[in-house]
Amino acid sequence: MKRISLIAVSLLAVMILTATGCTVRSGGETATMPYVAATGDAQQGVIFSQQQVGIWVNGDGKATATPDIAVISAGVEVEKPAVDEAQKEAANAMDAIMKVLTGKGIDKKDIQTQQYMIYPVWNWNPKLEKQELTGYRVTNMITAKIRKIEITGSVIDEIANAAGDVVRINNINFTVDDPDQYYKEARDEAVKNAQEMAQQMADAAGVKLGALIYMSSSTGYVPVMREAYALKADMAGGAPVETPISPGELEYTVSVQMVYGMK
């Protein structure tokens, strides 16, 4: 009975080692057995183990683009003793901003509410040693997509004039309407770069470059660096001139990893 049990345990151990791709060497050392992955040809395969095999290369590519869209984040912030007063002034100022945007030809579908907040304002009273409610603050922020990028400066100026002291312009970003073409250009360059590197490595090592057995890619985006923008004063008369906006360039990057076999 003990002999039968020992045989059963031994058979089970062999089955486990076979399923996991392991074998036992003399002295009890365990080693991982290689396995074969097909590459599309039933007669061929690539043997993998714990060590990387083949020629592994990384390639990078980039493409630059001139922005054709500006996205601004603008709105109003009003603080009043009573919440209804703050809401009313904020609503009037935002209505003025909306009229500027639509008057500049910006479609309503390109205007989106980003944030709307109402919250109390508390201040510390040192005499009473406690917080006191001093009023309410209403914040209403939107994003507007400006497709005629050349009018961005004048849009900012008119928004500031329309909303007055309660206006808030948080930031401005630049983009392109169709970035796919630039990613494709960068990807083509990255693949070519990796192919050339793999061939160079094979030549240097005195081996022949085999078939491509693996490929992956990742994309990146480097936005334009922008400076702070503000109304500039004319040196001669002191009157404000149009806010200067420089969209610069955008850079789209793609990285690829490729693995080749060796002959």
Side-chain angles (χ1 to χ4, degrees):
M1 200 62 189
K2 291 182 178 179
R3 183 177 181 182
I4 295 174
S5 299
L6 180 60
I7 293 173
V9 171
S10 300
L11 288 174
L12 179 60
V14 171
M15 292 173 64
I16 293 173
L17 290 173
T18 302
T20 59
C22 295
T23 186
V24 178
R25 299 175 183 170
S26 60
E29 181 183 0
T30 302
T32 301
M33 295 293 290
Y35 64 93
V36 176
T39 60
D41 188 339
Q43 303 300 321
Q44 294 183 348
V46 180
I47 297 178
F48 291 87
S49 70
Q50 287 182 334
Q51 301 297 321
Q52 293 179 339
V53 297
I55 298 177
W56 293 62
V57 291
N58 294 311
D60 298 310
K62 67 178 181 179
T64 57
T66 300
D68 54 19
I69 292 177
V71 180
I72 63 172
S73 174
V76 298
E77 185 176 73
V78 177
E79 184 177 332
K80 292 290 183 180
V83 66
D84 58 339
E85 293 177 359
Q87 279 186 291
K88 183 177 180 180
E89 184 171 340
N92 290 336
M94 182 55 72
D95 183 61
I97 289 177
M98 293 295 290
K99 287 179 179 178
V100 168
L101 295 176
T102 55
K104 284 288 189 178
I106 299 174
D107 198 301
K108 288 185 177 181
K109 67 182 178 65
D110 288 330
I111 304 172
Q112 184 180 52
T113 298
Q114 184 183 39
Q115 180 187 70
Y116 187 89
M117 299 176 61
I118 301 176
Y119 52 94
V121 178
W122 299 85
N123 282 323
W124 176 256
N125 188 322
K127 293 182 179 180
L128 300 178
E129 295 186 349
K130 67 175 184 178
Q131 294 279 4
E132 288 186 331
L133 180 65
T134 59
Y136 292 87
R137 185 174 297 144
V138 175
T139 303
N140 190 356
M141 300 298 299
I142 62 167
T143 56
K145 189 179 292 185
I146 305 173
R147 297 183 181 274
K148 294 180 180 179
I149 202 168
E150 65 276 5
I151 69 170
T152 304
S154 63
V155 170
I156 291 175
D157 292 342
E158 292 188 28
I159 286 175
N161 291 332
D165 293 339
V166 299
V167 70
R168 298 291 183 270
I169 299 178
N170 285 346
N171 57 53
I172 178 170
N173 291 300
F174 298 97
T175 185
V176 294
D177 191 40
D178 181 19
D180 290 345
Q181 57 180 319
Y182 301 103
Y183 280 122
K184 182 180 182 300
E185 181 182 338
R187 192 174 297 110
D188 288 344
E189 182 180 326
V191 170
K192 182 180 179 181
N193 177 251
Q195 288 173 331
E196 292 176 350
M197 188 182 302
Q199 187 62 62
Q200 181 186 20
M201 291 175 65
D203 293 342
V207 298
K208 290 185 178 180
L209 194 64
L212 177 66
I213 57 178
Y214 174 81
M215 175 187 285
S216 67
S217 71
S218 60
T219 58
Y221 165 67
V222 180
V224 63
M225 297 301 294
R226 57 185 183 272
E227 296 180 354
Y229 44 88
L231 293 176
K232 304 285 185 177
D234 182 20
M235 296 301 292
V241 297
E242 183 176 310
T243 300
I245 297 296
S246 178
E249 284 188 337
L250 302 174
E251 185 175 283
Y252 295 88
T253 62
V254 174
S255 297
V256 300
Q257 183 179 72
M258 300 171 69
V259 182
Y260 288 88
M262 292 184 292
K263 297 180 181 178

